[in-house]
Amino acid sequence: MRKYFGTDGIRGRANGIITPDLALRVGQAAGLMFQQRGDYRHRVVIGKDTRLSGYMIESALQAGFTSVGMDVLLLGPIPTPAVAMLTRSMRCDLGVMISASHNPYEDNGIKLFGPDGFKLNDDMELEIEALIDSDLTRRLAESATLGRAKRIESVQARYIEFAKRTLPRQLDLEGMRVVVDCANGAGYKVAPEALWELGAEVMSIGVEPNGFNINHAVGSTAPDALIGKVRELRADVGIALDGDADRVLIVDEKGQKIDGDQLMGVVARSWKDDGRLSQPGVVATIMSNLGLERYLNGMGLGLVRTAVGDRYVLEHMRAHGFNLGGEQSGHIIMSDYTTTGDGLIAALQVLAVVKRLGKPVSEVCHCFEPLPQVLKNVRYKAGKPLQEASVIKAIEAGRERLGNGGRLVIRPSGTEPVIRVMAEGDDRDLVNRVVDDVVDAVTQAASKVAA
C-alpha cells in the first residue's frame, strides 16, 4: 500500500497534504537514497510551475536536500519535461518538479525523476516512503558537508533549443498563424518563444501567471478560451498546454478539439510512412478510444493498452521497444526525444506533419471517427465502494450488455477520492444507459459506506 505516492508523484492540497514538513522529509529521503550511487558530490535539479505554494515547497525541498549533503540547482518555472531533460543534461542524480499538473492552484505536488530522466518506478517510491516515515536524524550531513544551493538562469533557452532540435533543420513554421494557450503555467515563456523562433505568427493566451490563475478557465482542460481565440483570429491552429506543460490539446482552424488519441494517430501514420516506428504499434491506456485501435489496425499497427498514467505507458514502451505512446488526455511520449510526456514537442511534431502535407489541420488531424465514449466521475468520502456486491453486479451486467463491440472501464483516481466510470461502443444510447446504471450503483454504495 502507498501512503504518499499516487499515479503521478505526491499530490494534494498545499499546506494540507503537501506541507513544508512533508516536502523537507521527501528531500531528505530522496537525497539519502540517491547518495548511495557513489562517493562524489551529489546534485539535484528542482523546477516548478507557477502556483503560489511553489515558493514554500521549493524552499522546504531545498532545505531537505541540503541537510543530507546534496547540492541543489534551482530552475524556477519550467515545464516538467524540461526538468527531466535537464536532470540528464546537467548530470544530476535526481530531478524534482513541483506541480499538480492540471489541478487548480490550491493543490500542488512533487514529481521525482531519476538520473536517466525517467520517473521513479514503484519500488523506488516505496523505498522513499519508508525513509520519509523513519527517523533520519542520525543520517543528516555534518556541518562541513551540508549541500549548497544555486539558481540556474539559462534553463529556458536550453529547453527551447532542445525542443526545436526535434524537428528537421530545414523545417520551419513560416506562414502558420498559431494561438498558444499556456494555462498560466510552467510553459508560459518557453512555448510562445519556441514557436516564434520557428517562424510562426504567434498569439498567446494564458501567459500572465499570478500564483492563483494556473489552469483557471485556460489550458488543455478548459479549451473554450482557445477555441474562441482561434475563431476570432482565424488562426491555422490552436495549442493548449496544461499547468506543467507535459500534455497538449490541439484545436483546428474550425475550432474543433483534437485530443491525444487523434494526435497519436497522426504521428503513428507519419512515422510508419517514414519507417520511424521502432515497433508496429502504439502504447496507450485503457482510456483511449476504440476508434484509435481500429484506425491503427487498418494500417497494420497494433494498440497496446496499459493502466492509466503516462508512467505505465512509458514503462511498457521501454520494456518492449516502442517509441510512441501516450494518453487520450494529451500526454504524448516520443521516446526518441523525451523521457516523459512533452506538450510542446508533441505539438511541434504534429505541426511538422501539417506543414509537410500542406493541408489544413482539420484534414490532417481528424484521423478517425471516435466511438461514442462517456465518462462520469463519482466522488466518495470513505470506504471502498467498488468492493460492494451491488457495484460488482452492476459492472458485470454493463459489460455483458456492451458485449464485444464496446468497453466498460471503472477505476479509482490515483490523485483524488473519485471513481471514474467510462464506457464506449457503437450505440450511444446503450453506452449512456450502461454508464448511468454503474454510476447509480457506485453512488448508492458510496453513500452507504459514508453513513
Side-chain angles (χ1 to χ4, degrees), residues 94-308:
L94 189 62
V96 183
M97 179 63 181
I98 304 167
S99 176
S101 191
H102 59 279
N103 287 29
Y105 87 92
E106 296 94 341
D107 293 343
N108 218 325
I110 301 171
K111 304 181 186 183
L112 301 177
F113 295 90
D116 55 4
F118 291 98
K119 291 179 181 178
L120 304 188
N121 61 37
D122 291 346
D123 291 340
M124 298 175 84
E125 289 181 347
L126 288 171
E127 188 175 342
I128 290 172
E129 285 197 353
L131 287 169
I132 290 172
D133 287 335
S134 64
D135 184 0
L136 302 177
T137 306
R138 295 186 178 183
R139 301 185 63 180
L140 300 182
E142 299 291 336
S143 298
T145 57
L146 289 169
R148 300 173 184 267
K150 177 181 180 181
R151 192 162 292 279
I152 308 299
E153 302 295 341
S154 62
V155 293
Q156 292 179 347
R158 292 175 69 167
Y159 174 66
I160 289 170
E161 194 60 29
F162 168 76
K164 287 162 52 183
R165 287 183 179 178
T166 64
L167 298 179
R169 181 171 291 277
Q170 70 276 13
L171 190 144
D172 60 47
L173 303 180
E174 289 285 346
M176 188 171 285
R177 176 177 283 194
V178 180
V179 181
V180 59
D181 178 355
C182 299
N184 292 315
Y188 79 103
K189 286 187 177 180
V190 295
E193 180 69 20
L195 291 163
W196 177 80
E197 290 185 15
L198 286 166
E201 180 185 349
V202 182
M203 287 72 70
S204 305
I205 61 175
V207 290
E208 298 179 350
N210 60 15
F212 305 97
N213 60 1
I214 187 170
N215 300 314
H216 180 65
V218 286
S220 62
T221 53
D224 287 349
L226 177 64
I227 292 170
K229 188 61 70 173
V230 167
R231 288 172 171 166
E232 174 193 340
L233 299 175
R234 297 182 179 179
D236 297 304
V237 65
I239 299 168
L241 305 175
D242 68 339
D244 66 335
D246 67 349
R247 64 176 173 175
V248 65
L249 177 141
I250 299 287
V251 172
D252 69 19
E253 77 281 1
K254 299 177 182 179
Q256 301 174 107
K257 292 183 290 185
I258 302 166
D259 65 14
D261 284 347
Q262 298 282 359
L263 299 182
M264 284 188 280
V266 171
V267 177
R269 176 171 285 280
S270 175
W271 285 13
K272 177 182 183 293
D273 291 344
D274 294 342
R276 294 172 58 191
L277 280 178
S278 58
Q279 292 289 342
V282 175
V283 182
T285 76
I286 55 175
M287 302 302 286
S288 278
N289 195 279
L290 192 57
L292 172 61
E293 185 171 343
R294 293 177 180 177
Y295 174 72
L296 294 174
N297 291 165
M299 291 189 285
L301 301 176
L303 181 69
V304 180
R305 296 183 184 271
T306 72
V308 172

Side-chain angles (χ1 to χ4, degrees), residues 371-372 374 402 405-406 424-434:
L371 270 68
V374 177
L402 288 171
E424 64 182 354
D426 294 300
D427 185 336
R428 182 179 293 276
D429 290 338
L430 175 60
V431 169
N432 275 306
R433 290 196 300 271
V434 167

Side-chain angles (χ1 to χ4, degrees), residues 29-46:
L32 286 170
M33 192 176 89
F34 278 85
Q35 287 200 57
Q36 300 170 11
R37 298 179 66 232
D39 186 19
Y40 57 89
R41 197 74 189 172
H42 298 275
R43 300 194 300 180
V44 55
V45 292
I46 301 179

